[in-house]
Amino acid sequence: MASGNDRAAVVSGADVGDAARRRNIPGTPQQVIVPQPQADDKKKAKKEPSVLDLLDQWEWLIAPIVFTAFAFFTRFYKIGLSPIVTWDEAHFGKFGSHYLKREFYFDPPAGKLLVGLSGYLAGYNGSFEFKSGETYPPEINYTFMRQFNAFWGAACVPMAYWTAKELNLRRSAVWFVTLMVLCENSYTTISRFILLDSMLLFGTVSTTLCWAKFHSQRKNSFEPEWFLWLFMTGLSIGFVTSVKLVGLFVTALVGLYTIEDLWNKFGDTKMPVSVLAAHVASRVVGLIILPFLVYLLSFAIHFAVLTNTGPGDAQMSSLFQANLRGTEVGTNSPLEVAYGSMVTIKNMGYGGGLLHSHVQVYPEGSGQQQVTCYHHKDANNNWFFYPNRRDTVYDAAADPRFIADGETIRLLHTQTGRNLHSHQIAAPVSKSQWEVSSYGNATIGDEKDHWKIEVVSDAASRDRSKIRTLTTGFRLKHEVMGCYLRAGNVNLPQWGFKQIEVTCTKENNPRDTYTHWNIESHINEKLPPGDPGQYKSPFLKDFIHLNVAMMTSNNALVPDPDKQDDLASQWWQWPLLHVGLRMCGWDDKIVKYFLLGNPLVYWGSTAGLGVFALLVVWYTLRWQRGYRELSQFDIDQIHYAGVYPVIGWFLHYLPFVIMARVTYVHHYYPALYFAILTFGFLADWFLRNQKAALRWGAYAVLDLTVIGLYVYFMPICWGMTGPNKQYGYMKWFDSWRMADA
């Protein structure tokens, strides 16, 4: 044996022949000596990693950091350039002011709470009125408030990166998806103002990310990371629905996935029933109870902060309003109601308004004076309690005579002097019920002006023999026809000022709260003042009441045929990028912003939806013909990275096709995100097996085009200054109105 630098290894058996031939040594079955590489040779052979190798190894960390840095730059740069209240800043800035002044209003609270928080952190005291087009005063740090909102938009970019990775897209496709979110001009613009859309996008993107993370853990059930992403999905759902009710659409996407997942587990006969029950229970807790608690918490904070009277009072119950500071509801109102009392009467149904009448008449039916429910304080809400026409005992000059349960009364409208009346004429909208009108006067009328009081509840006393301000719930039964005064959440047409229809329903349902009424305010100089506001309204009742009021108000946002809304757009225009939106005045002296998307992102993602449908049809037909070219991984990839984003797009887009409310281009932005994911999936699918040169060339063209178009249209995001004619080069179509020429 050799020693020192000539150390050798022993090679024997079957390896000898090959070793010997390599060294020109005749092979023998005996042992031969083969020199080993020296230690110095090993060091030389060991290759040092290059910069590219390091970048490749740390891409998972470097890429999201770089994308995030660009996201914050594009969203924050020149964000305070325009010092005027821009577009819906006039709307949402006021909500922030309400929180800072603690004035009550109604709407999903989480996003507005955050706007209020941004104002608080900026040192704003809530005194500014946020009138559209008005210049911000020096004491308001509007730049910080906009930056606070821009944070949510910028955070969507790294989350899009992580979502694409969790959907098993290859690196090039992940970057492409991230670039589309980063370089989507409309996302950049909408994130730079005091609006809720950046928060809504954040909630939608974060819910999708958490869902994708949870799906990736499907083989690690009940492990800590599995529970983490299950509960994170629930928290995201709770947040996004608390920002806007549009968040229910991404909630539905997670719900469909959960139903499919549990259905598959139910079909697994090898899974113990106890394990299946644990899966169901986990999802009930994580995806139903937890989001609901987050949603509920946002309203608890809402009620705790907004303790002063404000513009949303009339949407709430009378008892709730009476407990707000500065309210007139119940203030110094006599506790018990008597004949001669002037009152306002509140419908106790969720979202109910005040019984109201005005001089306008029904254009059809009886042609008599309209009776409606109205959500705002108005002298036309006032009514007198009068005795029925057969009551000859009543003496107005005598001591007050209290109104008891079971009595038949008249209600006289104070402003017009007419009686609350009903007859056998179909209601204008709810044709199965009777019309309610105001008719006659104090001396002229008939028995169809008579209403019998039926007490159904009293929050202050078990004694239901009397009618009490705020606390007594009662029904009004028409003496002649036996129907009940009702105000469901049905809006009249424009001739009725979109106010709530009041009818006389033939159905006798004591549990129908829309037939329940209470006295909200009460004036009678002959009676001593009381303090009915000492009674509290239950939180859960207020929570439900407010949510129904929000939905009712949202449903009333329908296009007005008598008014031209130049900012509104139609659902079919959005995926085609047919129109944009001017966010402010278009004077040459102000900074102008135009809400328009990146053409490649829009047109590519819209085309991608159609291509994906053809892809599914193609593989379905080939499968039926016996071709088995797709592996189980491929099928799962199409299913979860393709089908679910398309479902997400439909869930966020189709409701705006169906609903009658007025719509704008920004309503498409959550749906656009799912179209972007679909586009990224298709790029990954068609380029995955191509040669490297073709694959990288295709992605280079896509990425550079997205970036190039983003830069090309950047002025509409960062602000156009000077004469708008100089930006005519961006006006590819007449409907893109960023320039007048």
Side-chain angles (χ1 to χ4, degrees), residues 52 83 93 102 151 236-237 324 331 377 414 544 557 565 568 576 615 687-689 717 722 730:
L52 291 178
R102 309 191 71 173
F151 164 81
S236 294
I237 289 172
L324 294 173
T331 303
K377 312 299 184 190
T414 60
I544 298 172
L557 296 174
D565 190 347
L576 303 177
L615 182 74
L687 295 174
R688 60 179 183 162
N689 293 324
C717 308
M730 293 185 290

Side-chain angles (χ1 to χ4, degrees), residues 75 79 82 84-89 115 136 142 145-150 188-199 583-584 591-595 716-719:
R75 272 64 174 173
I79 198 169
S82 175
I84 68 171
V85 178
T86 302
W87 194 39
D88 272 357
E89 286 187 331
V115 171
Y136 284 105
Y142 67 91
M145 295 180 70
R146 288 177 177 174
Q147 288 172 338
F148 184 91
N149 274 56
T188 299
T189 309
I190 204 73
S191 300
R192 292 165 58 85
F193 297 95
I194 306 171
L195 309 171
L196 299 190
D197 298 274
S198 59
M199 300 177 195
M583 300 183 69
C584 54
V591 183
K592 297 167 285 293
Y593 297 89
F594 191 73
L595 208 51
I716 67 176
C717 308
W718 285 354

Side-chain angles (χ1 to χ4, degrees), residues 91 112 118 146 203 267 277 283 298 349 376 424 439 481 552 580 589 617 656 661 666 693:
H91 184 58
K112 287 94 171 178
S118 72
R146 288 177 177 174
R283 286 158 177 78
S298 70
H376 302 279
Q424 290 181 326
Y439 169 74
M481 298 186 296
T552 304
K589 297 180 181 179
V617 171
F656 291 101
R661 64 155 291 166
H666 69 284

Side-chain angles (χ1 to χ4, degrees), residues 19-85:
R21 281 191 294 272
R22 285 196 297 268
R23 296 183 54 83
N24 297 317
I25 300 174
T28 69
Q30 301 171 351
Q31 294 182 345
V32 296
I33 299 174
V34 180
Q36 289 288 346
Q38 297 181 7
D40 291 340
D41 294 335
K42 288 184 178 181
K43 291 181 181 180
K44 292 178 182 179
K46 186 177 180 182
K47 185 180 179 182
E48 292 292 334
S50 67
V51 174
L52 291 178
D53 291 332
L54 289 174
L55 290 175
D56 179 75
Q57 181 181 353
W58 290 92
E59 183 274 344
W60 63 273
L61 178 63
I62 296 171
I65 291 176
V66 171
F67 282 124
T68 303
F70 277 110
F72 275 89
F73 172 74
T74 55
R75 272 64 174 173
F76 278 63
Y77 182 66
K78 291 186 177 181
I79 198 169
L81 182 62
S82 175
I84 68 171
V85 178

Side-chain angles (χ1 to χ4, degrees), residues 107-155:
D107 233 3
K112 287 94 171 178
L113 268 168
L114 290 171
V115 171
L117 175 62
S118 72
Y120 175 79
L121 295 175
Y124 170 51
N125 62 7
S127 60
F128 185 57
E129 294 185 8
F130 281 91
K131 292 181 180 179
S132 183
E134 188 171 318
T135 301
Y136 284 105
E139 59 269 19
I140 296 183
N141 189 354
Y142 67 91
T143 299
F144 176 83
M145 295 180 70
R146 288 177 177 174
Q147 288 172 338
F148 184 91
N149 274 56
F151 164 81
W152 305 97

